[in-house]
Amino acid sequence: MVAEPPTHPLVATHRPTLDRALEAIATRAYWSPYPEHPKAYGDDGSLDAAAGKAAFDALTGTRLDLGQPGTDDWTGGEISPYGIELGVTYPHADPDVLLPAMKAGQRAWRDAGPEVRAAVCLEILARINARTHEFAHAVMHTSGQAFLMAFQAGGPHAQDRGLEAVAYAYAEQTRTPASADWSKPQGKRDPLVLTKEFTAVPRGIALLIGCNTFPTWNGYPGLFASLATGNAVLVKPHPRAVLPLALTVSVARETLAEAGFDANLVALTGERPGEGSAKALALRPEIRIVDYTGSTAFGDWLETNARQAQVYTEKAGVNTVLVDSTDDYRGMLANLAFSLSLYSGQMCTTPQNLLIPRDGITTDQGPRSYDEVVADLAGAVGGLLGDDTRANALLGALVNPDVKARLEAAAGLGEVALASREVTNPEFPDAVVRTPVIVKLDGAKPDDEAAYMSECFGPVSFAVAVDSAADAVELLRRTVRDKGAMTVGAYTTSAEVGEAVREVCLEEAAQLSLNLVGGVYVNQTAAFSDFHGSGGNPAANAALCDGAFVAGRFRVIEVRR
C-alpha cells in the first residue's frame, strides 16, 4: 500500500477555514472569512488603504518579471478606463517551452493529496487577501469599476469564490476513500482479498482565459478549482485586464515555491496586439481544461473545437425581470434602479428586459399603467444618479469603446424613456461615465424583438410591453431557452404568476429572484450560498460553483493489489 504523504505545515494553518467552507456549502448559510470593508485591513499585517495605493502606484511603468521559463517577449499596453496609462509589461510565453515546464511539477502536486493542495490554495488566497487594497486599484483601473466595487467584488468576494471552488474540489476528491480492504467470501474456500487504492489524478494543464470586466471574480473559481484538483494552470488574461491576474499568478508562484512545490504549476502568458493566442493555446494537446468568460461566439467555438479539453464557459445571455404586481412599489423601483445602474450595467447578471403588461400593474399605491411604471422607474434611476458624486461611485467607467457605441445606438431602437447623460469624474477627467438608458419596446412587434432578444451589454435596458402576465411568462420561457439568462427576476403578488415563473425557471434552468427589495439585488450573488449561472441554459455551460464545476477536472484511478 502506498504510504500517506507527510502532513504539510499549511494544513494546520488552514484546515479550520477549509472545514468552515465545507460547512457553508452544505448549509448554504452566510459566511465569509474575508472582510469586505476597506477599514478592516491594515492592523493585521495586511496593506491598509495608503499602502495598497502606494503598492499599485509602484507597479505602473514597470516590468512584471515572474521568473517563468520560455519568456520570448514582453507585452502590455493597458489603459485604464479612467484614462491612466498603466505602462506595465508582462511575459509573453513560448508554449513549447513553458507548457513542458508546467507539466513537470504536476506529479509532486498530485501526490501531495487533496488536503495539502487545498491548504496551499488557501495560503495563496490569504496572501492575496492581505493585498486586497492593491488588488482593488488593479481591478478598478482595468475594469472601470468604481473603487468600492473593485475592492469588494475584485477582492473579498472574488476570494470567497476561489475558496468556494477549493471546498467543492476537496469534497469531490475525498468522496472516494484513499484506500479500501476488499474481501469477497468464497464459501468453504479462502475469501478473495484485495487492497484497493484510489487516487485523484489531474486531467492536465488548465487554460484560464480571463475577462475584461471581472478578471478576479470570474477568474478565481476556475483557477482554484483546477489547482486544487492537481492541475497546473496557465493564465491568459484579457489584454485590457492583465494586471489583476498577473498579480495573482505572482502570489501563487511565490506561495507554491515556499510550500515546496514547483512554481511553474501556475504561469501567465501575455498577448501581443491582435495575436489571438487564446485560440491557438486552447487547441494544444497539453491543454486539458479551459475556463472562459466572454462572447458567445468564442465560447461556442471553444466548446466545438477544443475537443481534447473539458471546457467551462460563461457567455452572453438576456437577463429578464417580469413585473406583474407588487405590494412595495417604491421598494421595487429603488431595487430595480440600483440593479440597472450598478457598474453601468456591465455585469453579466444585470437585468436587460423588463416585461410589463401594457394594461399596467397593481401596486400598494394603486394601479399603474405601463407608461407610468416606465416613467416612475426612469425617475427612480434619475434620482439615484442625480448627484454626480454618487453617480460616479455607482457607475464607475465604461470598460471599452464597444459599450459606449452600444449605449449610443440603443437610443435609436425605440422611444427613449430615460436618456443617458454624461457624468464628469473630477478625479479622472478622461473617464467615460454614462448613466443608463431605458428604451420602450413593444413585445408584439417583430422589429422590436430583434433588439430585446439580443444581449446589449452595458447600461441599456428595454421596457417591453406585453399583453398579459401569461404572455410575459411565455416570452420569459422563450428568452431563456433560446438566448439564455444568468439571472431572472419577477415581481408579483399573485401566487399563480409566481408559480408559473418558478416553473419556467426550473424547466429552462435559470436562477430566479422573486420580489427583491432592500439591499439584495438580482445581479449580486453570495459565495457558498448562491449559484452563479446554472449550466443548463445557453448563457453558461457551468455553474459557479457546484460539484459539476470541479468533478470533471480530475479522475479517480484505482490500483488493486
Side-chain angles (χ1 to χ4, degrees):
M1 190 171 178
V2 176
E4 289 290 328
T7 300
H8 196 282
L10 286 176
V11 171
T13 302
H14 295 294
R15 183 73 216 199
T17 302
L18 177 61
D19 286 340
R20 282 291 286 111
L22 291 167
E23 179 184 355
I25 64 173
T27 65
R28 317 308 294 183
Y30 170 77
W31 176 73
S32 171
Y34 307 120
E36 66 177 3
H37 197 288
K39 291 183 179 179
Y41 295 83
D43 296 332
D44 55 357
S46 61
L47 297 182
D48 62 13
K53 177 63 163 58
F56 168 76
D57 288 341
L59 287 168
T60 59
T62 65
R63 172 173 288 180
L64 195 61
D65 190 345
L66 300 173
Q68 298 178 172
T71 298
D72 59 9
D73 198 1
W74 297 90
T75 63
E78 291 157 296
I79 297 176
S80 167
Y82 291 95
I84 298 171
E85 187 172 341
L86 299 189
V88 185
T89 56
Y90 310 95
H92 179 280
D94 178 351
D96 291 334
V97 177
L98 181 58
L99 293 177
M102 296 181 70
K103 189 174 181 180
Q106 282 197 151
R107 180 174 179 177
W109 186 236
R110 176 201 71 196
D111 292 346
E115 185 177 45
V116 171
R117 289 196 295 270
V120 174
C121 287
L122 265 61
E123 176 66 16
I124 295 170
L125 285 165
R127 294 187 185 192
I128 290 171
N129 177 254
R131 296 169 61 178
T132 292
H133 272 283
E134 177 187 4
F135 273 73
H137 287 284
V139 171
M140 173 183 176
H141 285 290
T142 51
S143 70
Q145 295 173 31
F147 177 77
L148 184 59
M149 184 177 185
F151 183 93
Q152 293 182 335
H157 296 173
Q159 296 151 21
D160 282 339
R161 285 296 185 186
L163 175 55
E164 179 185 42
V166 174
Y168 271 102
Y170 179 83
E172 292 299 323
Q173 289 174 101
T174 56
R175 185 183 301 278
T176 302
S179 63
D181 293 326
W182 185 87
S183 178
K184 178 180 180 180
Q186 290 280 89
K188 295 182 178 180
R189 293 178 291 171
D190 292 338
L192 298 175
V193 177
L194 291 171
T195 298
K196 303 184 180 185
E197 302 154 7
F198 305 96
T199 302
V201 174
R203 288 183 62 93
I205 299 174
L207 174 65
L208 170 63
I209 304 173
C211 71
N212 194 174
T213 48
F214 287 89
T216 56
W217 198 97
N218 275 105
Y220 282 6
L223 191 160
F224 285 100
S226 289
L227 195 60
T229 49
N231 305 277
V233 183
L234 177 59
V235 178
K236 205 296 292 180
H238 190 285
R240 291 193 184 103
V242 183
L243 185 56
L245 290 178
L247 292 176
T248 301
V249 170
S250 178
V251 173
R253 290 176 63 83
E254 175 187 83
T255 306
L256 285 161
E258 292 182 12
F261 298 99
D262 193 334
N264 293 324
L265 286 165
V266 179
L268 178 106
T269 183
E271 184 174 354
R272 299 185 184 101
E275 181 180 13
S277 59
K279 181 174 287 190
L281 287 170
L283 298 184
R284 289 188 66 104
E286 303 97 326
I287 299 299
R288 304 302 304 279
I289 301 166
V290 176
D291 286 282
Y292 169 75
T293 300
S295 72
T296 294
F298 191 54
D300 289 346
W301 185 92
L302 287 168
E303 292 172 6
T304 301
N305 293 281
R307 303 186 65 84
Q308 86 292 350
Q310 185 79 31
V311 178
Y312 300 90
T313 60
E314 180 186 316
K315 302 172 290 189
V318 178
N319 301 321
T320 301
V321 175
L322 187 155
V323 181
D324 166 66
S325 54
T326 179
D327 57 9
D328 185 356
Y329 188 56
R330 289 186 180 276
M332 180 190 78
L333 293 174
N335 193 278
L336 284 174
F338 188 92
S339 296
L340 300 183
S341 303
L342 185 62
Y343 184 34
S344 301
Q346 297 170 123
M347 302 173 70
C348 62
T349 50
T350 300
Q352 174 179 298
N353 292 348
L354 308 171
L355 309 184
I356 306 168
R358 65 180 77 253
D359 291 335
I361 69 172
T362 58
T363 81
D364 57 317
Q365 298 183 19
R368 288 289 188 273
S369 68
Y370 164 83
D371 288 333
E372 287 173 327
V373 173
V374 178
D376 290 344
L377 178 58
V381 175
L384 177 67
L385 303 176
D387 176 77
D388 280 3
T389 300
R390 180 165 59 181
N392 277 303
L394 286 174
L395 295 171
L398 299 188
V399 68
N400 60 52
D402 292 340
V403 176
K404 181 172 179 285
R406 282 192 293 270
L407 170 64
E408 293 171 345
L413 297 174
E415 179 185 345
V416 175
L418 177 66
S420 176
R421 72 177 181 90
E422 183 175 349
V423 178
T424 300
N425 188 319
E427 186 179 1
F428 302 104
D430 293 330
V432 179
V433 184
R434 300 288 189 274
T435 62
V437 63
I438 299 176
V439 179
K440 290 179 169 181
L441 296 177
D442 192 327
K445 293 182 177 179
D447 289 347
D448 286 2
E449 180 174 321
Y452 66 72
M453 285 294 279
S454 299
E455 184 185 56
C456 190
F457 185 76
V460 178
S461 293
F462 299 121
V464 182
V466 294
D467 289 338
S468 65
D471 287 330
V473 169
E474 287 310 305
L475 178 53
L476 170 65
R477 180 189 300 277
R478 185 159 58 90
T479 302
V480 178
R481 183 185 63 230
D482 295 348
K483 301 298 180 179
M486 296 299 292
T487 56
V488 171
Y491 289 90
T492 183
T493 58
S494 163
E496 181 181 357
V497 173
E499 181 56 30
V501 173
R502 175 179 177 272
E503 188 61 28
V504 165
C505 290
L506 292 178
E507 291 181 356
E508 304 299 336
Q511 311 294 9
L512 171 64
S513 298
L514 281 170
N515 297 319
L516 295 187
V517 294
V520 179
Y521 305 98
V522 66
N523 46 349
Q524 295 176 316
T525 58
F528 309 107
S529 186
D530 296 323
F531 292 109
H532 175 74
S534 70
N537 70 65
N541 73 356
L544 304 181
C545 184
D546 59 7
F549 185 68
V550 299
R553 297 171 194 263
F554 70 94
R555 288 291 181 263
V556 176
I557 303 302
E558 175 186 358
V559 176
R560 302 187 296 180
R561 303 177 190 276

